[in-house]
Amino acid sequence: ARRVVLASRPQGAPTLENFRFEEVELSDAQQGEVTLRVLYLSLDPYMRGRMSDAKSYAAPTPVGGVMEGETVCEVIRSRHPDFAPGDKVRARTGWCTDAVVKADIVHHFDTHGAPITTAVGVLGMPGFTAYSGMKVIGQPKDGETVVVAAASGPVGSMVGQIAKLAGARAVGIAGGKKKCDFVREELGFDAVVDHRSKDFASDLEAACPKGIDVYFENVGGHVWDAVLPLLNQFARVPVCGLVAQYNGPGAADHDRLPATMSAILRRSLRIRGFIQSEFVKDHYGAFEKEIGPLVASGRIRYKEDVVDGLERAPDAFIGMLTGKNFGKLLVRMADI
Ligand code: NDP
């Protein structure tokens, strides 16, 4: 089997030197284990956090350890009664082509007839992140304005569509014309603003004539600067991700704390960070039941960005952190 390990910890943006490819001999599956062939690897922004040894909600990947990640796999051999050869499953195998793993990290999934890739995208962890963050913290209401950045990605695209289902107005923020067109025309957002435009802040203000009631925070940085003055009294801000700062401070960064604290106080904002896993127990069942059929029927739309071959995973991952992906980023293993 081929796999990718963390060769060294990145300083700032990751580079190809931070990753190393290894060839390993797989052992035979023991009692309680399954042998898997990876079909698709999901690449997600949280992996940047695992590459760093800064204290966080999850332990870092050790240097020399396999890069973490969730995959869609086919069961090749099984020594566990819940799985049989040929089953398509979701598992945390990490970045590799094949793996022998304990059955407790392997899960069956039901995509209601949608493609199996959705099990790690719109119908998997990213979709659930949007669903639970909106349900528990955002709580959009009829007629309110909901804003989300990284709007063409798996989390943002679901946030906007959930806002629409709740009767709210969905305003997306995305990088570049292609993504903006997609968000408005294909995903059905009411308005979209390009954060790379020099008029970004005034464009966002024009797109939100009644201010912002829910801002689903995916990026931070200059997007937060533009959003903050527009937040209405009692606005809710689920803090889901800060991808603009995962690689460290940018040249134009400044201290945002005084302005943020002042707005929290004066406008009674509710800002609440979350990690989706905290909501799994109470909300995952409802997510699957409500959202699965809407995706399968085409009512909820999504986009995938598929690159071919494990060799391309590091480069594709590095690019995602600056917006080179267009949709849910996946690696299709070479031989399927
Ligand atoms: P995406 O596929 O949307 O990829 C990230 C996107 O972020 C890029 O495509 C780019 O989109 C945007 N971006 C990158 N840098 C910047 C920048 N400097 N300013 C503005 N936008 C930028 O990712 P996901 O949908 O998978 O994840 C979205 C967010 O949700 C991430 O922050 C992620 O960490 C977070 N997350 C949090 C979870 C939780 O439990 N809290 C779970 C899962 C995800 P564009 O080109 O449009 O700007």
Side-chain angles (χ1 to χ4, degrees):
R2 212 159 157 64
R3 64 188 195 181
V4 182
V5 302
L6 179 65
S8 57
R9 300 206 183 280
Q11 310 293 328
T15 63
L16 293 178
E17 287 69 49
N18 298 133
F19 303 89
R20 188 174 62 238
F21 286 85
E22 287 183 351
E23 204 67 54
V24 286
E25 195 74 37
L26 285 190
S27 52
D28 287 335
Q30 303 297 306
Q31 197 57 40
E33 292 184 333
V34 288
T35 303
L36 301 174
R37 184 168 77 111
V38 177
L39 306 176
Y40 291 93
L41 162 67
S42 171
L43 293 176
D44 299 87
Y46 75 82
M47 294 163 174
R48 176 64 184 83
R50 303 289 198 279
M51 297 177 80
S52 155
D53 58 6
K55 196 166 167 24
S56 189
Y57 61 91
T61 302
V63 172
V66 179
M67 286 293 297
E68 270 183 50
E70 202 175 30
T71 51
V72 178
C73 305
E74 180 177 346
V75 175
I76 301 299
R77 272 182 295 279
S78 174
R79 298 205 50 201
H80 189 283
D82 288 355
F83 301 100
D87 286 355
K88 302 286 197 302
V89 295
R90 200 158 49 81
R92 294 202 65 87
T93 61
W95 296 23
C96 62
T97 56
D98 306 83
V100 177
V101 298
K102 290 213 165 28
D104 59 4
I105 62 153
V106 183
H107 305 278
H108 288 289
F109 59 77
D110 178 5
T111 59
H112 298 260
I116 55 172
T117 47
T118 60
V120 290
V122 65
L123 291 179
M125 186 280 284
F128 177 68
T129 299
Y131 175 88
S132 58
M134 287 293 271
K135 182 137 216 148
V136 180
I137 308 166
Q139 302 183 357
K141 290 173 197 64
D142 198 22
E144 288 191 331
T145 299
V146 174
V147 174
V148 65
S152 67
V155 176
S157 58
M158 179 69 97
V159 167
Q161 294 181 86
I162 285 175
K164 296 289 297 173
L165 289 172
R169 194 160 166 276
V171 177
I173 298 170
K177 184 173 179 342
K178 237 176 39 182
K179 288 186 181 181
C180 288
D181 288 349
F182 170 77
V183 168
R184 203 180 34 244
E185 286 156 27
E186 302 288 326
L187 299 179
F189 282 46
D190 298 284
V192 63
V193 180
D194 185 349
H195 72 84
R196 296 192 196 281
S197 153
K198 64 174 183 10
D199 301 320
F200 167 55
S202 54
D203 290 350
L204 184 65
E205 188 175 359
C208 304
K210 293 198 214 150
I212 299 172
D213 302 295
V214 178
Y215 172 58
F216 193 101
E217 176 64 294
N218 274 338
V219 302
H222 76 295
V223 174
W224 177 245
D225 292 335
V227 164
L228 189 58
L230 304 177
L231 291 171
N232 290 332
Q233 192 183 23
F234 305 126
R236 285 84 69 199
V237 182
V239 180
C240 170
L242 297 165
V243 65
Q245 66 188 52
Y246 291 169
N247 286 335
D253 266 332
H254 56 93
D255 183 2
R256 299 186 164 92
L257 191 60
T260 301
M261 291 301 273
S262 169
I264 291 173
L265 174 63
R266 293 185 194 176
R267 282 177 264 151
S268 305
L269 305 181
R270 190 188 300 159
I271 300 188
R272 155 58 150 122
F274 73 102
I275 302 300
Q276 51 81 26
S277 49
E278 72 190 85
F279 299 138
V280 164
K281 189 166 118 323
D282 290 339
H283 298 281
Y284 208 88
F287 162 70
E288 285 184 313
K289 224 164 74 197
E290 280 175 46
I291 303 297
L294 293 176
V295 170
S297 73
R299 175 92 190 272
I300 286 186
R301 312 285 300 267
Y302 64 96
K303 182 167 173 55
E304 295 175 337
D305 183 345
V306 183
V307 303
D308 274 305
L310 187 63
E311 309 298 319
R312 294 201 50 205
D315 193 43
F317 171 71
I318 292 167
M320 175 175 59
L321 297 173
T322 57
K324 293 214 174 74
N325 64 311
F326 185 7
K328 171 73 198 104
L329 187 57
L330 297 156
V331 179
R332 177 168 40 211
M333 293 306 163
D335 56 346
I336 58 166

